[in-house]
Amino acid sequence: MKYTVQIALMMLLCAFSPARAEMTDWVEVQGGAVRLISAGPLQDGHYMAGLEFLLEPGWHTYWRYAGEAGIPPQISVTASDNIENLEILYPVPERYDDGFSESIVYHDGIVLPFRITPAVKEQDAKLEVEVFFGICKDICVPGDAVLTLDFNPSGNNDALSKRLIERDLTAVPRQETNNGLEINSVTHDGKGFLLVEATVGDDGEADLFAAGPEGSFIGLPKPLGRNGDKAIWRLSTKGLATTASDRQLRLVLSSNGTGVERLEPISADWID
């Protein structure tokens, strides 16, 4: 996703604007910056917020799973008040090949939307998160920040933050058919590979991404071919792991900035 002009304008606006309650100050690192933003008051029982990355040209950060190289964002709640649940959403990413390895990345600018549910809807809430992430170009730089936002059920709307959050919320994969995209089947070939068949539509360059449970170190699915609106990928199960609470493989099929997601149960015979 390319937002170079929008990013430059945002940087200019932020340079001459005071900090607002609906967003934190930027925490700058080499190659970019990060902050928390909020759309404003409580709606439909939750607050919409987001972790915004602003990246300089040529730099990238990573999806929930980095792929063969990189540091995915690690987001920990370090303190909170009146928050029952925090759901972190990940828009569809891009495949990046540096000639040595393939990674799963975001370029230019991205917001990871947060859906925040307060324990008591009528009361104010507070969220503090610690973020550790990687940002790369010719070199890779680790970044970290501690960010805090307050939420008021009848607070002010923030039009800019809401627009940024909604922009990338539309790119969060759905767990149903989306714009002609659908993951049709996942089968194991008995030789250490999964074959993923999908309907990808007629337009755009479809791609497939995979993330295993914590502790997994898997490669990226490799495209095997396409026939009309059908495509197939092969994914090695080498490095796939499970945990006591997570035995699902997350598959994301994307095209033209939208995507679908399928959570596939991991069979015991997939694990080496």
Side-chain angles (χ1 to χ4, degrees):
M1 290 177 281
K2 304 299 182 183
Y3 305 118
T4 305
V5 174
Q6 185 178 12
I7 290 169
L9 178 60
M10 287 166 51
M11 290 285 280
L12 183 63
L13 289 173
C14 291
F16 294 100
S17 300
R20 302 199 301 259
E22 294 81 8
M23 59 182 64
T24 67
D25 291 331
W26 289 106
V27 174
E28 296 186 18
V29 297
Q30 184 177 356
V34 64
R35 66 176 177 178
L36 272 181
I37 59 177
S38 168
L42 192 73
Q43 291 187 338
D44 300 323
H46 60 263
Y47 298 101
M48 288 306 302
L51 181 65
E52 182 182 10
F53 292 91
L54 193 61
L55 307 173
E56 295 178 9
W59 290 78
H60 60 262
T61 191
Y62 296 91
W63 187 51
R64 65 193 312 152
Y65 174 64
E68 296 172 355
I71 304 172
Q74 300 169 35
I75 305 167
S76 304
V77 178
T78 50
S80 68
D81 184 24
N82 190 34
I83 290 179
E84 183 177 271
N85 185 60
L86 167 63
E87 182 182 9
I88 303 170
L89 305 172
Y90 290 83
V92 294
E94 304 172 54
R95 184 183 295 243
Y96 176 72
D97 188 342
D98 64 4
F100 299 97
S101 60
E102 286 189 312
S103 301
I104 311 173
V105 306
Y106 299 112
H107 286 99
D108 298 325
I110 191 72
V111 174
L112 304 184
F114 287 5
R115 186 176 285 117
I116 301 169
T117 305
V120 181
K121 295 177 175 55
E122 296 77 18
Q123 297 180 7
D124 291 355
K126 178 179 180 179
L127 176 69
E128 179 184 279
V129 295
E130 182 175 0
V131 184
F132 181 74
F133 58 96
I135 180 171
C136 298
K137 188 181 179 184
D138 300 322
I139 60 171
C140 287
V141 179
D144 64 89
V146 176
L147 304 166
T148 305
L149 268 186
D150 296 318
F151 300 90
N152 183 292
S154 57
N156 296 323
N157 282 297
D158 188 294
L160 174 59
S161 294
K162 184 177 181 180
R163 181 178 178 183
L164 290 170
I165 293 166
E166 290 181 347
R167 178 198 68 188
D168 290 340
L169 188 61
T170 62
V172 172
R174 304 176 186 174
Q175 291 190 8
E176 69 268 357
T177 302
N178 184 11
N179 289 339
L181 297 175
E182 184 174 10
I183 298 174
N184 300 319
S185 66
V186 181
T187 57
H188 190 262
D189 69 355
K191 301 177 182 179
F193 292 93
L194 298 178
L195 300 177
V196 182
E197 298 185 22
T199 301
V200 297
D202 297 325
D203 299 322
E205 293 294 328
D207 208 347
L208 184 73
F209 306 97
E214 185 176 356
S216 295
F217 296 96
I218 56 177
L220 274 69
K222 306 299 182 184
L224 292 185
R226 178 168 174 170
N227 184 8
D229 67 347
K230 300 296 191 293
I232 187 168
W233 285 263
R234 185 175 70 175
L235 173 65
S236 173
T237 58
K238 183 178 181 180
L240 187 62
T242 60
T243 69
S245 60
D246 188 0
R247 298 188 60 86
Q248 292 184 314
L249 176 68
R250 186 183 302 271
L251 296 168
V252 170
L253 176 67
S254 71
S255 179
N256 294 323
T258 61
V260 294
E261 179 179 78
R262 176 164 168 163
L263 299 178
E264 186 71 16
I266 296 173
S267 175
D269 60 2
W270 296 3
I271 308 296
D272 294 334

